[in-house]
Amino acid sequence: MRLNRRAVLGSLAAGAAVLGAPMVMGQAAPRVVVVGGGAGGATAARYIARESSGAVNVTLIEPTRRYYTCFFSNLYIGGLRDMESLGHDYGTLASEYGINVVHDWAVGVDRDARTVALAGGGSVPYDKLVLSPGIDFKEGAVPGWDLSAQNAMPHAYKGGSQTELLRAQVLAMREGGTYAMVAPPNPYRCPPGPYERISMVAHVLSEVNPTAKILIVDPKDGYSKQALFEEGWQKHYGGMIERIGPDFGAQNTSVDPAAMTIDIDGAVESVDVCNVIPAQRAGKIAHDAGITDGDWAPVNPADMSSRADPDIYVLGDAAQQGDMPKSGYSANSQAKVCANAVLGALTDSRVFPARYSNTCWSLIAPEDGVKVGATYEPTEEKIASTESFISQTGEEPEVRAATYQESIGWYAAITADMFG
Amino acid sequence: MIRRGLAALAAAVLPAAAAPDHELVHNEIADILALPADTAYGAWLASECTSCHGVGTEGGIPQIHGLPAGYIVGALVDYRLGARQHEVMQTIATRLGEEEIAALAAYFSEAD
Ligand SMILES: Cc1cc2nc3c(=O)[nH]c(=O)nc-3n(C[C@H](O)[C@H](O)[C@H](O)COP(=O)(O)OP(=O)(O)OC[C@H]3O[C@@H](n4cnc5c(N)ncnc54)[C@H](O)[C@@H]3O)c2cc1C
């Protein structure tokens, strides 16, 4: 066991905390602009506003008035949560934390002038910019599919209406029909997400359409929590689920949304629902800002600042940081490190060494919850995993039920941590 | 009274998977409670906890805001030693030293 007595502060005795608002360096209140009000951005905005007690001016740019979480959206598909319980608005961030919430799209970043341009016109100046725009889909990743096909073949990989559409399609499937998922290649948001979705679709179908089939077309050799999912699928859903991997040509898949067919390495199948989850990249604004290298935006592991620009920080799915999975939990954890660093740069507040953590819960069937998680530390090169754990196969039902209950507690806590 | 420190105690207890010596654990808790508590550091460390521990009791994660400092120190020491088992909490507690536990306990015992 590692010794972990961290006297990093060196000032424990003298460290009688100076309470109250941190002092700002310079004259006018420094300005922080946060783009994206999701897991990373909402958390960062809230922590910067709260910890600075008004000494820092925080603007949050987010086009939607209500954010529907992707986390727990599979439970909605499984009929275990209603959509309203997944929706969160920005009222408290504005009224209690004094955050200037602007419902608009950021369409450009002028890094020399340090301004963010808005779709509605005008621009917002910043001293520090935080980008947490989430993901976009890579064009041409699944031949035959593009965003114009998302009604016929939903991705349901951004929250809200796409999730509702997919559940409606599952419920409307003909008796004995086929639900197909084209799973994404690595890296993508929420590694166990597609497989939790399969579990929840199987749960619904086993109740309303028990002769239906589920087909996963997966370009990856293996996936997160695979042994746990496979054990659970066997136990709860018998032979309903079939997975075609790269050994059968799954990486060579195309779709025809008009015909509702899927072509797997030359073999054409008719399907009733086709959930296409394409390959992903950082949200467009990160590319427009010119801070990406390939698909993602590389960051410094110690504080989530961009490797390309010290005045920009990138959080969550868009960041290329190392070992942390692209999850809401990770984005929330990274946001706190970023908030502390931003406050340290703009005010006299103390900067603490980064610490990151993540836990991802997944539901295999009602009351059958599993989890995987780790703690992380920054190294020069990346955010590196230090200690980790994963649920075991063959666990008692009481353990799984308790794990599910934990996930409910986590959902309530993290959404409060994001939105106040 | 033998003072061994948390890391030494953990090293002594864990390999044998033996039940921790109550007096040693008790002394360790008292030692941590006697440390000067850095509440600003506690507030920073607590931000790791609030991803899961909210205010109010929905679901299966307990509220820790407002718990007595002695209880929080005892729980974290027990997780550190494996005397109390929970995968997430043991993973989190592994990287908490005495100062961190003292700071967290001071912060949460005063939080509401
Ligand atoms: C099915 C599914 C299940 C999941 N389950 C879990 C789970 O159980 N646990 C977990 O931890 N994670 C889970 N996730 C992953 C989690 O949702 C993401 O990792 C997380 O939301 C990432 O946070 P983010 O801040 O990077 O992006 P997001 O939360 O997506 O936020 C990005 C925000 O930026 C806004 N935006 C984008 N571009 C612009 C722009 N140009 N201007 C202004 N605003 C912009 C968007 O409107 C959006 O609100 C799941 C994901 C899916 C799809």
Side-chain angles (χ1 to χ4, degrees), chain A residues 79-413:
Chain A
L80 305 173
R81 273 311 264 228
D82 62 50
M83 189 47 82
E84 260 333 283
S85 75
L86 305 183
H88 307 270
D89 62 40
Y90 299 89
T92 308
L93 292 182
S95 63
E96 269 187 40
Y97 297 90
I99 294 167
N100 176 26
V101 180
V102 177
H103 289 300
D104 203 345
W105 289 94
V107 290
V109 177
D110 183 334
R111 283 162 48 195
D112 295 323
R114 284 194 288 177
T115 56
V116 177
L118 299 177
S123 65
V124 191
Y126 66 83
D127 296 302
K128 298 287 178 191
L129 173 63
V130 179
L131 297 181
S132 194
I135 53 138
D136 277 330
F137 301 116
K138 285 173 81 164
E139 268 174 47
V142 178
W145 192 94
D146 62 23
L147 277 180
S148 71
Q150 69 175 1
N151 274 6
M153 295 188 169
H155 52 80
Y157 232 61
K158 297 188 180 190
S161 53
Q162 274 280 304
T163 317
E164 289 180 299
L165 177 63
L166 185 62
R167 174 167 159 85
Q169 290 186 353
V170 169
L171 290 175
M173 257 168 73
R174 74 182 165 85
E175 201 183 320
T178 299
Y179 166 102
M181 170 190 281
V182 180
N186 289 320
Y188 60 96
R189 78 170 12 165
C190 195
Y195 310 96
E196 181 187 58
R197 171 166 300 161
I198 292 294
S199 308
M200 291 293 97
V201 170
H203 166 64
V204 175
L205 290 176
S206 62
E207 287 190 333
V208 303
N209 191 349
T211 56
K213 293 270 168 249
I214 295 178
L215 179 64
I216 312 169
V217 185
D218 200 335
K220 303 181 292 299
D221 285 322
Y223 57 89
S224 174
K225 299 176 183 161
Q226 185 164 357
L228 295 166
F229 281 116
E230 285 177 352
E231 177 195 55
W233 292 346
Q234 196 52 44
K235 175 176 170 196
H236 299 292
Y237 312 119
M240 186 179 250
I241 301 163
E242 184 195 351
R243 177 172 174 269
I244 296 177
D247 39 350
F248 289 94
Q251 70 283 54
N252 187 17
T253 295
S254 63
V255 295
D256 183 340
M260 282 304 285
T261 57
I262 170 166
D263 180 327
I264 307 159
D265 208 19
V268 179
E269 292 242 6
S270 277
V271 298
D272 299 276
V273 175
C274 194
N275 177 197
V276 177
I277 308 175
Q280 297 158 27
R281 66 205 290 252
K284 182 171 184 298
I285 190 72
H287 297 281
D288 292 346
I291 54 162
T292 48
D293 178 10
D295 292 331
W296 310 101
V299 295
N300 292 302
D303 62 2
M304 302 304 295
S305 61
S306 162
R307 293 223 191 237
D309 187 331
D311 292 325
I312 301 184
Y313 296 74
V314 187
L315 303 178
D317 294 351
Q320 180 183 305
Q321 35 70 22
D323 293 349
M324 297 184 80
K326 296 186 187 298
S327 72
Y329 198 127
S330 294
N332 170 265
S333 172
Q334 293 160 7
K336 294 164 190 177
V337 171
C338 161
N340 184 247
V342 165
L343 285 169
L346 298 176
T347 73
D348 66 347
S349 68
R350 280 163 67 187
V351 177
F352 299 104
R355 49 201 303 131
Y356 301 99
S357 49
N358 175 66
T359 301
C360 284
W361 283 269
S362 301
L363 195 61
I364 300 177
E367 302 294 320
D368 191 356
V370 292
K371 61 189 167 191
V372 59
T375 48
Y376 303 84
E377 282 177 0
T379 65
E380 279 293 301
E381 175 213 347
K382 63 172 184 175
I383 297 181
S385 171
T386 46
E387 304 260 343
S388 65
F389 61 85
I390 184 165
S391 295
Q392 301 301 304
T393 53
E395 282 171 340
E396 294 299 322
E398 304 80 67
V399 173
R400 295 298 180 83
T403 301
Y404 173 50
Q405 285 303 315
E406 275 171 28
S407 73
I408 294 173
W410 164 76
Y411 185 90

Side-chain angles (χ1 to χ4, degrees), chain B residues 5-79:
Chain B
L6 184 52
L9 194 57
V13 167
L14 274 185
D21 178 318
H22 283 297
E23 197 197 331
L24 292 180
V25 173
H26 189 80
N27 292 346
E28 178 61 24
I29 293 172
D31 285 348
I32 293 176
L33 282 168
L35 287 174
D38 180 347
T39 41
Y41 189 32
W44 158 247
L45 295 168
S47 71
E48 183 175 32
C49 313
T50 52
S51 302
C52 295
H53 291 278
V55 177
T57 48
E58 192 180 337
I61 297 182
Q63 176 176 327
I64 55 176
H65 297 72
L67 286 179
Y71 179 87
I72 293 172
V73 173
L76 289 173
V77 167
D78 281 350
Y79 284 127

